Amino acid sequence: MGRQRYLNKQPLEIARASLLRAAGRLTTSELVPVEEALGRVTAESAIAKNSVPHYHGAAMDGIALRAEDTFGASEGHPMTFQSGTPDSQERPFSYVDTGNALPPWANAVVMIERVFTGDAPERSPSSSGSLPAVSADDGCCDPGESAGHAGHSHADAAFASEPVEGSSAQTIHLRGASAPWQHVRLVGEDVVASEPLLPRGHHVRPYDVGALLAAGVHEVAVRPRPVVAILPTGGELIQPGDEPRPGRVIEFNSRMIASFVREWGGAPRRLEPVRDDLPEMRVRIKAALAEADVLCIIAGSSAGQHDFTVEALSGFGEILAHGIDVMPGKPASIMAVAGEGGGAPRASVAIGVPGYPVSAAVICRELLEPLLAHLLGACAPDRPRVKAVVPRKLPSRLGQEEFVRVTLGQVADRLIVSPLGRGAGAITTMVKADGFVRVPPLVEGVNAGEEVDVELLRPLEDVLGTIVVTGSHDLTLGVLEDVLKAEFPRYKLATSPVGSLSGLLALGRNEAHVAATHLLDPETGVYNLPDIERLLEGVPVVIVNLVVREQGLIVAPGNPLGLTCVKDLTGDGVRFVNRQSGAGTRVLLDYLLERDDIDPDSIVGYEREEFTHMSVAVAVGSGLVDVGLGVQSAAVALGLDFVPIDREDYDLVLRADFAESEAGRALLSVIRGEAFRAAVEKLSGYETSRTGQKK
Amino acid sequence: MGRQRYLNKQPLEIARASLLRAAGRLTTSELVPVEEALGRVTAESAIAKNSVPHYHGAAMDGIALRAEDTFGASEGHPMTFQSGTPDSQERPFSYVDTGNALPPWANAVVMIERVFTGDAPERSPSSSGSLPAVSADDGCCDPGESAGHAGHSHADAAFASEPVEGSSAQTIHLRGASAPWQHVRLVGEDVVASEPLLPRGHHVRPYDVGALLAAGVHEVAVRPRPVVAILPTGGELIQPGDEPRPGRVIEFNSRMIASFVREWGGAPRRLEPVRDDLPEMRVRIKAALAEADVLCIIAGSSAGQHDFTVEALSGFGEILAHGIDVMPGKPASIMAVAGEGGGAPRASVAIGVPGYPVSAAVICRELLEPLLAHLLGACAPDRPRVKAVVPRKLPSRLGQEEFVRVTLGQVADRLIVSPLGRGAGAITTMVKADGFVRVPPLVEGVNAGEEVDVELLRPLEDVLGTIVVTGSHDLTLGVLEDVLKAEFPRYKLATSPVGSLSGLLALGRNEAHVAATHLLDPETGVYNLPDIERLLEGVPVVIVNLVVREQGLIVAPGNPLGLTCVKDLTGDGVRFVNRQSGAGTRVLLDYLLERDDIDPDSIVGYEREEFTHMSVAVAVGSGLVDVGLGVQSAAVALGLDFVPIDREDYDLVLRADFAESEAGRALLSVIRGEAFRAAVEKLSGYETSRTGQKK
């Protein structure tokens, strides 16, 4: 008797369309003060209450007057004006600063640089009433240009013919005419009262806050934030802070989803977890549907547990999808909540979110974000994308859309994709990833050399500041990154532990900036140089020592088996864990075995390989094995014991062009700096006397 | 005597670099709960407290056992296991669900689909100790595949040889061997305790919240939000909600800047405005510098007022820039705050932000956003960009960087740039703009046909949903947009009022989807069709009536001059305002003047041109002129009176390819729908009996 894993599997595209159709849109609205509306979505168009500007105002510092009074004024025929109004003066003027209201009788502004104090030496003929020629470039004239006018002499020095500066002279004269409405900002130049300012369905931005307030709008009708109830299921869940005993799972998914909801403009409501009990689940689902717009129920991701969630949901509506053709994210489900009318639940849809965190994240991005935008009647924000090259084939299964987490590095002007692990449980891959490569359902992966679109998960500036480090892994690389980020925040290290040998090869293929290596040459006993010469012939590189480090046996606390040397690995009941071939530590082991004439087959676990010092230490620490070869810092980090065996040079090989770049120089200066050395010396098993030295 | 407008003018690039250098970085940090850390910037690297997973767990629903016990099992040699532990059973097993802890004695999981109930018919030979061959595709086997095994017969039907389903049988048998650690999630598979999870200077995202909590981290050290004091200056300022009297300016800039600060991770502190009084300003500046990390002082933008701000600032440090070569934004200034040691002010820098709102927005984007990221030691988020074509030359002044606000429209597969007004006071242009085109300082504009980068101010999806409407303007277009957004939120209208004639020409050049037109053919008396035939020969279009509308004289309330017909425009003391040539209203006026044999020169103001009905109404409403020709709705919107003169067809001309597109069909369905008709009929001066009819 077989068992149907998914009852109604749907392609992602179709699942999303059904979800949005079933969800409908929010129709209610609420009035909020404009200053609190940032990021909210308008529910109707916002209308200007007053015009902007709301009065005729001076666009320059200067004097306001009637343009007609200036007609006829010129260099040869300056014209005199008196401070006052038309009631008291024949040719009145009034000082104005930029933004001042124009007096009701005035219709032009003359900028202060064009206003001269004192009586005019010659009176102009009376105005002809025709429009004068007016220089159009008042706004950008050289203010010094009128400083040389000394052709007129006046008895009173206080009334010398100079442009006014902070003066309040009661009599001035002009040497040119003005056009009506010159340097006046007219009512409604920007927007006219009653005109729409914002459409409905618009995300309010800082500019909009400014425009609304300027137009006299103090409150704006926005859509309420969609309430998303988040219901974790499973009796195994414990809360952050509870003691993490075996079999207990920290309930972090609901917090991650709540963060997404907040970021996307919704109001998350995290609910207490419910255990896997059908009647209890139904009670909790019913309550959640009644008080939220959307229900996200976080299911365990195995088929068995998931079926259970769908079973619990299915009484409340129609299951539109059970299983979605997307990786990660397949065990998701979608329900259209049933029931119309008075007793209808508030929620229109529910999403069964898989329990594996990466699946949960993908389902949130692909379903929940568009759902929230749709409910609000708005557009989802852009996802920045970038083109990058896939250096090696990226396989993918036909028939399902796959989101491959990748890191990116700009090496020799190409942006290079490096895929990360695909496990749906590895939430840290989402943290490490620079972006997603989306492989469509009808494509069997991406071929080597192809260019792909990468959906960025962090700013491009951050990605472009990535220094790609390949090769051997060591904990001092973490220290190096931290000091680098402190001194040069625009750079970060992306390390991929592939082993020394593969690292040098990747450097040769231009897939990394730096390779970390500790390869012992068995013939000469020299570290690194022989292999670099052999593998990177013709590739210009710079080699610097990062640290000299201790390699040794990582054993359980107290070294219960009393291991002291490599020979002891062959002892009865000793379970060993090895490193992958090509790793410097493996080369060292094989060298020592050969030197001491030990048969690898006599070591139990020789064929079991791990890829990092830390995973070797984990294998020892969790009792999987008794011993592994690795660095002291890994042993210390997990509270294990360490038996020193050898010292080795852990060097960085930099491509020469990178070493000369800004990033390369920053990295080298950090390696040679005091902060890095001091931080390394706090760890165990390192020596820094040659740190930063070129080889 | 001339006057130096800017004392220390700097290119934008250099001003920004000096600002960041002077600002330094924040060095303090605060611990916040991980769940509240969303969007904050880490102050140090965050370290995993526990490994993830923190125990060896089942990766499948099934049974846990010792792999060694299964060696030798096969189809032909099923092997029997008993529920229990090694103490009680020879070959023990224990049921496990995904995520359950592995019993300490077990080292492998067999998925439930591979587990059969009942005694095995044949016992296997005892294990040889060598590793068995194990099928690697357990995870994706068709669960139905083993349903047909009926080769063995058993008396007890309850123990029929079927895969277990929800069973708790105490005895089961297996038909294949398992590898050690098969279907086990090992401790630290994702991350090992003591490993760094997040680097410093990292913006915390929802994924990071998940990863931190999963790794037992409950609090994270983040940089405090940089406090930005925002000090408006000017005695003319009033608060939103105060009565907007002439000469009074609504103080909205500080609210816009506060919104920016909030969006960019800072803590805005808006201060009470200070009037233009040097000693008072100094007191307020001193207080602000003492309690904030950054001071933004909003100055009036005229040279006079700005000098005053710089004068007030200059006692507190070194003016690094006074005047920046950027348009808009030139009157900005930058100060490095002086003073080290105990009595030093908290702030390291101050920015003099220009008072014109568009200048203020540009200075915020170009200086304040990078400053906040720099203080936090983080990268600023990406600004999405898009390539678009400039259809007509975009001039720009040499020697200054210019940010030209533009709208975008995708017409016939090209994204087309349309520049908006360049006035620094027009905040609504920032609202209307889809993006900025940045013209570098050493370039004199962009040539026609060139492709440019556009920095987007709204999501691309929103831009791609833009229906570009050119030609004549009418208030019913606003109604149309609102109904369209309500029914099809992904579409919006971008209207540019260029007049009927220019609109048809732009449609012919493929620069718009729709042209709105009301052109009377003087010879035939027919609206639109003759001109469309003449100007769009060979261009396939669809013509539909939007409304029939009243044109007439817009006059002050009560029609004080008693105007009744076009002839009255020539009356003594009547000041008219005209529309630009090419506008349908202008064509109508000229037709009426010719018909009635009236000399345009006899109309005072015939040569003064406005571009929209609303600006004509504003000119009348603010007393600039006495009368203009326009539509009734514009008069009603501003509380003016209206004297009907004629009725005309206001039609939409759609490019045929657009009319057949999804957007075009959406637009037509809205035009023909009841909601649009009902909304138009609420306005005055329209008739909808032919609305939506094809011509």
Side-chain angles (χ1 to χ4, degrees):
Chain A
M1 188 182 100
R3 169 163 82 140
Q4 191 83 37
R5 220 170 249 257
Y6 301 112
L7 298 169
N8 180 16
K9 207 144 152 241
Q10 299 286 347
L12 177 57
E13 199 74 28
I14 292 183
R16 183 161 42 217
S18 336
L19 175 69
L20 301 192
R21 204 173 318 114
R25 300 186 192 278
L26 299 182
T27 53
T28 54
S29 70
E30 62 193 48
L31 274 179
V32 297
V34 166
E35 296 171 53
E36 290 162 26
L38 189 67
R40 302 296 295 271
V41 173
T42 52
E44 52 191 55
S45 63
I47 305 295
K49 276 215 180 118
N50 57 244
S51 297
V52 183
H54 60 272
Y55 61 93
H56 297 326
M60 291 278 177
D61 294 353
I63 60 168
L65 41 59
R66 294 182 297 198
E68 307 84 272
D69 292 347
T70 70
F71 294 173
S74 70
E75 276 299 331
H77 298 277
M79 204 176 279
T80 302
F81 289 74
Q82 306 286 338
S83 174
T85 66
D87 296 337
S88 60
Q89 303 293 343
E90 191 195 345
R91 276 199 291 268
F93 81 88
S94 171
Y95 285 109
V96 286
D97 280 337
T98 305
N100 285 168
L102 216 59
W105 50 266
N107 69 353
V109 169
V110 176
M111 61 196 293
I112 200 72
E113 288 89 343
R114 302 250 162 185
V115 175
F116 299 84
T117 52
D119 287 317
E122 296 165 57
R123 297 281 161 156
S124 69
S126 103
S127 162
S128 70
S130 72
L131 280 173
V134 174
S135 147
D137 67 351
D138 262 359
C140 57
C141 68
D142 174 1
E145 69 182 331
S146 43
H149 290 296
H152 317 287
S153 69
H154 295 274
D156 188 344
F159 285 92
S161 186
E162 300 262 326
V164 168
E165 175 121 34
S167 157
S168 55
Q170 295 304 299
T171 303
I172 58 95
H173 66 264
L174 299 180
R175 293 172 179 172
S178 300
W181 309 112
Q182 163 191 294
H183 299 321
V184 175
R185 283 194 76 207
L186 295 171
V187 166
E189 222 173 62
D190 189 4
V191 68
V192 175
S194 85
E195 283 187 330
L197 284 167
L198 303 180
R200 69 169 77 196
H202 177 88
H203 271 107
V204 177
R205 303 160 302 168
Y207 317 108
D208 306 321
V209 168
L212 290 168
L213 293 173
V217 181
H218 312 125
E219 286 189 320
V220 61
V222 297
R223 293 286 172 218
R225 297 186 190 280
V227 174
V228 179
I230 306 166
L231 178 60
T233 68
E236 75 284 8
L237 298 178
I238 56 172
Q239 295 305 306
D242 293 351
E243 199 203 336
R245 280 183 309 236
R248 297 285 156 179
V249 173
I250 301 174
E251 201 291 283
F252 62 85
N253 270 333
S254 75
R255 276 104 174 158
M256 179 175 76
I257 297 174
S259 302
F260 278 127
V261 170
R262 215 168 278 130
E263 200 163 88
W264 297 330
R269 195 169 294 168
R270 287 198 308 103
L271 304 175
E272 285 297 305
V274 58
R275 59 198 179 91
D276 301 314
D277 174 90
L278 206 52
E280 199 176 321
M281 282 174 79
R282 287 193 169 136
V283 168
R284 299 291 305 283
I285 288 171
K286 186 173 181 183
L289 292 174
E291 58 179 35
D293 298 300
V294 174
L295 167 63
C296 284
I297 179 163
I298 312 173
S301 11
S302 83
Q305 288 184 25
H306 193 74
D307 276 350
F308 203 54
T309 305
V310 167
E311 196 178 339
L313 277 178
S314 56
F316 297 95
E318 186 193 351
I319 303 295
L320 301 176
H322 176 203
I324 295 180
D325 286 327
V326 59
M327 257 279 279
K330 190 157 41 177
S333 54
I334 296 174
M335 179 181 67
V337 178
E340 310 249 330
R346 172 170 170 182
S348 53
V349 288
I351 302 178
V353 180
Y356 273 135
V358 181
S359 309
V362 167
I363 289 301
C364 284
R365 283 171 63 90
E366 296 305 312
L367 295 182
L368 190 55
E369 183 176 20
L371 173 61
L372 290 174
H374 181 84
L375 284 167
L376 289 164
C379 289
D382 284 328
R383 292 192 182 155
R385 284 180 172 72
V386 76
K387 299 260 181 216
V389 173
V390 174
R392 259 158 301 165
K393 182 166 170 63
L394 204 64
S396 170
R397 206 147 116 213
L398 209 62
Q400 66 186 11
E401 191 153 355
E402 186 166 1
F403 290 82
V404 184
R405 286 148 273 170
V406 301
T407 59
L408 293 171
Q410 192 168 34
V411 186
D413 284 338
R414 294 190 312 167
L415 211 48
I416 298 280
V417 166
S418 313
L420 287 162
R422 301 195 186 187
I427 180 67
T428 61
T429 56
M430 288 301 299
V431 174
K432 285 183 202 124
D434 291 322
F436 275 124
V437 172
R438 185 187 287 241
V439 186
L442 298 181
V443 170
E444 243 180 314
V446 181
N447 289 321
E450 252 181 73
E451 201 181 59
V452 291
D453 267 325
V454 181
E455 229 173 65
L456 290 175
L457 290 167
R458 63 174 93 247
L460 185 61
E461 188 191 335
D462 208 350
V463 171
L464 295 181
T466 300
I467 298 173
V468 182
V469 181
T470 185
S472 165
H473 188 71
D474 187 83
L475 271 73
T476 52
L477 289 178
V479 175
L480 182 59
E481 169 162 38
D482 193 48
V483 180
L484 180 73
K485 289 277 314 170
E487 297 185 9
F488 300 92
R490 52 186 285 216
Y491 299 120
K492 77 180 213 292
L493 297 189
T495 56
S496 55
V498 297
S500 295
L501 204 68
S502 303
L504 291 177
L505 292 170
L507 196 76
R509 284 193 308 267
N510 238 337
E511 289 172 20
H513 301 109
V514 179
T517 183
H518 58 115
L519 284 169
L520 176 63
D521 180 46
E523 289 176 21
T524 60
V526 170
Y527 267 94
N528 298 327
L529 296 180
D531 280 297
I532 292 169
E533 270 166 35
R534 186 168 56 85
L535 296 170
L536 295 177
E537 205 189 332
V539 180
V541 295
V542 172
I543 308 162
V544 295
N545 177 253
L546 189 68
V547 288
V548 175
R549 66 180 189 180
E550 294 273 12
Q551 286 269 20
L553 302 181
I554 298 175
V555 293
N559 193 3
L561 300 183
L563 307 174
T564 61
C565 61
V566 172
K567 179 72 191 157
D568 292 349
L569 298 180
T570 62
D572 235 23
V574 175
R575 295 165 304 159
F576 179 69
V577 65
N578 209 345
R579 289 292 307 279
Q580 85 278 20
S581 43
T585 304
R586 172 68 166 268
V587 172
L588 174 64
L589 176 74
D590 289 347
Y591 166 77
L592 296 173
L593 295 181
E594 177 139 359
R595 188 192 65 184
D596 299 350
D597 205 17
I598 302 167
D599 178 8
D601 282 349
S602 65
I603 301 175
V604 173
Y606 179 86
E607 70 295 333
R608 179 175 175 162
E609 300 179 345
E610 289 288 353
F611 275 73
T612 67
H613 297 282
M614 280 311 263
S615 39
V616 167
V618 164
V620 175
S622 62
L624 290 184
V625 299
D626 302 304
V627 60
L629 189 62
V631 296
Q632 186 171 1
S633 53
V636 170
L638 293 191
L640 302 171
D641 267 8
F642 182 78
V643 181
I645 297 284
D646 207 351
R647 294 161 70 86
E648 63 178 13
D649 285 11
Y650 183 81
D651 293 337
L652 297 188
V653 187
L654 289 69
R655 292 188 64 91
D657 52 356
F658 169 73
E660 284 151 24
S661 71
E662 215 169 309
R665 281 180 286 141
L667 184 68
L668 286 169
S669 85
V670 167
I671 292 171
R672 290 168 182 152
E674 205 33 60
F676 174 65
R677 191 181 303 237
V680 168
E681 282 168 359
K682 280 190 203 141
L683 300 174
S684 308
Y686 295 104
E687 198 202 286
T688 57
S689 60
R690 291 194 286 119
T691 291
Q693 282 181 19
K694 273 198 193 179
K695 286 201 165 175
Chain B
M1 188 182 97
R3 155 166 95 137
Q4 190 85 38
R5 221 170 248 255
Y6 301 112
L7 298 168
N8 179 18
K9 205 146 153 241
Q10 299 285 348
L12 177 58
E13 198 72 31
I14 293 184
R16 182 162 42 217
S18 333
L19 175 69
L20 301 191
R21 205 176 314 115
R25 298 187 193 278
L26 298 182
T27 53
T28 54
S29 69
E30 62 193 49
L31 275 179
V32 297
V34 165
E35 295 170 57
E36 290 162 27
L38 187 68
R40 302 296 295 271
V41 174
T42 52
E44 53 192 55
S45 63
I47 305 295
K49 275 212 181 121
N50 57 245
S51 296
V52 181
H54 61 272
Y55 61 94
H56 298 326
M60 291 278 176
D61 293 355
I63 61 167
L65 41 60
R66 294 180 299 198
E68 305 85 272
D69 292 347
T70 69
F71 297 172
S74 70
E75 277 298 331
H77 299 277
M79 202 176 278
T80 302
F81 289 75
Q82 306 287 337
S83 174
T85 66
D87 296 338
S88 61
Q89 304 292 343
E90 190 196 344
R91 276 200 291 268
F93 81 89
S94 171
Y95 285 108
V96 286
D97 280 336
T98 304
N100 284 170
L102 215 60
W105 50 265
N107 69 353
V109 169
V110 176
M111 60 196 295
I112 200 70
E113 287 87 346
R114 302 249 163 188
V115 175
F116 298 83
T117 53
D119 289 317
E122 298 162 58
R123 299 281 163 160
S124 68
S126 101
S127 163
S128 69
S130 72
L131 281 174
V134 174
S135 147
D137 67 351
D138 262 1
C140 57
C141 68
D142 175 0
E145 69 182 330
S146 42
H149 290 296
H152 317 288
S153 69
H154 295 274
D156 189 345
F159 284 90
S161 186
E162 299 264 326
V164 169
E165 175 122 33
S167 157
S168 56
Q170 296 303 298
T171 304
I172 59 96
H173 66 266
L174 299 180
R175 295 174 178 168
S178 299
W181 308 111
Q182 163 191 293
H183 299 322
V184 176
R185 284 195 76 205
L186 295 170
V187 166
E189 221 173 64
D190 189 5
V191 68
V192 175
S194 84
E195 282 187 331
L197 284 167
L198 302 180
R200 68 170 78 195
H202 177 87
H203 272 109
V204 177
R205 303 159 303 169
Y207 317 107
D208 306 321
V209 168
L212 290 167
L213 293 173
V217 181
H218 311 126
E219 285 189 321
V220 61
V222 297
R223 294 284 173 221
R225 298 186 191 279
V227 175
V228 179
I230 305 166
L231 178 60
T233 68
E236 75 284 9
L237 298 177
I238 56 172
Q239 296 305 306
D242 292 351
E243 198 204 335
R245 277 184 309 239
R248 297 285 155 179
V249 174
I250 300 173
E251 202 291 284
F252 62 86
N253 270 333
S254 75
R255 276 106 176 158
M256 178 176 74
I257 296 173
S259 303
F260 278 127
V261 169
R262 214 165 281 130
E263 199 163 89
W264 297 332
R269 195 169 293 169
R270 287 197 309 104
L271 305 175
E272 284 297 303
V274 57
R275 61 199 177 93
D276 300 316
D277 172 272
L278 205 52
E280 200 177 321
M281 283 173 80
R282 286 190 169 137
V283 168
R284 300 290 306 283
I285 289 171
K286 185 171 181 180
L289 292 175
E291 59 180 35
D293 298 301
V294 174
L295 167 63
C296 284
I297 178 164
I298 312 172
S301 12
S302 81
Q305 288 182 25
H306 193 73
D307 276 349
F308 203 54
T309 305
V310 167
E311 195 178 341
L313 277 178
S314 57
F316 297 95
E318 186 193 351
I319 303 295
L320 301 176
H322 174 202
I324 295 181
D325 287 327
V326 60
M327 257 281 277
K330 189 156 46 177
S333 54
I334 296 175
M335 178 180 69
V337 178
E340 310 248 329
R346 171 171 172 182
S348 52
V349 288
I351 301 177
V353 178
Y356 274 134
V358 182
S359 309
V362 167
I363 289 302
C364 284
R365 283 171 64 90
E366 296 303 313
L367 295 182
L368 190 55
E369 183 175 20
L371 173 61
L372 290 174
H374 182 85
L375 284 167
L376 290 163
C379 288
D382 283 328
R383 292 195 183 152
R385 283 181 173 73
V386 76
K387 299 261 182 216
V389 172
V390 174
R392 258 158 301 166
K393 183 169 170 61
L394 204 64
S396 171
R397 208 148 115 210
L398 209 63
Q400 67 187 11
E401 192 153 353
E402 186 164 1
F403 291 82
V404 183
R405 284 148 273 170
V406 301
T407 58
L408 294 170
Q410 192 168 35
V411 186
D413 284 336
R414 295 190 312 168
L415 210 49
I416 298 280
V417 166
S418 313
L420 286 162
R422 300 195 186 188
I427 181 65
T428 60
T429 57
M430 290 299 301
V431 174
K432 285 182 201 126
D434 290 321
F436 275 123
V437 172
R438 186 188 287 240
V439 187
L442 298 181
V443 170
E444 246 178 311
V446 181
N447 289 321
E450 251 181 72
E451 200 180 58
V452 291
D453 267 324
V454 180
E455 231 173 64
L456 290 175
L457 290 168
R458 65 174 93 246
L460 185 60
E461 188 191 335
D462 207 350
V463 170
L464 295 180
T466 299
I467 299 173
V468 181
V469 182
T470 185
S472 164
H473 189 70
D474 187 84
L475 272 74
T476 52
L477 289 178
V479 174
L480 182 58
E481 168 161 37
D482 193 46
V483 179
L484 179 72
K485 290 276 315 171
E487 298 185 9
F488 300 91
R490 51 187 286 218
Y491 299 119
K492 75 180 214 293
L493 297 189
T495 55
S496 54
V498 298
S500 295
L501 204 67
S502 305
L504 290 177
L505 293 170
L507 196 76
R509 285 193 308 266
N510 238 337
E511 289 171 21
H513 301 110
V514 179
T517 184
H518 57 115
L519 284 169
L520 175 64
D521 181 44
E523 288 176 23
T524 60
V526 169
Y527 267 96
N528 299 325
L529 295 181
D531 279 298
I532 293 168
E533 270 166 35
R534 188 167 56 85
L535 297 170
L536 295 177
E537 205 190 330
V539 181
V541 295
V542 173
I543 309 162
V544 296
N545 178 252
L546 190 68
V547 286
V548 175
R549 65 182 189 181
E550 293 273 10
Q551 286 268 21
L553 303 180
I554 297 175
V555 295
N559 192 3
L561 299 183
L563 307 174
T564 60
C565 62
V566 173
K567 179 72 192 160
D568 292 349
L569 299 180
T570 62
D572 235 22
V574 175
R575 295 165 304 159
F576 178 70
V577 63
N578 208 345
R579 289 291 306 281
Q580 86 278 18
S581 42
T585 305
R586 172 68 167 266
V587 171
L588 173 64
L589 176 74
D590 289 348
Y591 165 77
L592 295 173
L593 294 181
E594 178 142 355
R595 188 193 64 185
D596 299 351
D597 205 17
I598 301 167
D599 179 7
D601 284 351
S602 64
I603 300 175
V604 173
Y606 179 85
E607 70 294 335
R608 178 176 176 160
E609 298 178 347
E610 289 288 354
F611 274 73
T612 67
H613 295 282
M614 280 309 264
S615 39
V616 166
V618 165
V620 174
S622 62
L624 292 182
V625 300
D626 302 305
V627 59
L629 189 62
V631 295
Q632 185 172 3
S633 54
V636 170
L638 293 190
L640 302 172
D641 269 7
F642 181 77
V643 181
I645 297 284
D646 207 351
R647 294 160 73 84
E648 63 178 14
D649 286 11
Y650 183 80
D651 293 337
L652 297 188
V653 187
L654 289 69
R655 292 189 63 91
D657 51 356
F658 169 73
E660 283 150 26
S661 72
E662 216 170 306
R665 279 179 289 140
L667 185 68
L668 286 171
S669 84
V670 168
I671 291 171
R672 290 169 183 153
E674 204 33 59
F676 173 66
R677 191 182 302 239
V680 167
E681 281 170 359
K682 281 191 200 140
L683 300 173
S684 307
Y686 295 104
E687 197 203 287
T688 57
S689 59
R690 290 195 287 121
T691 292
Q693 284 183 17
K694 274 199 192 177
K695 286 199 165 179

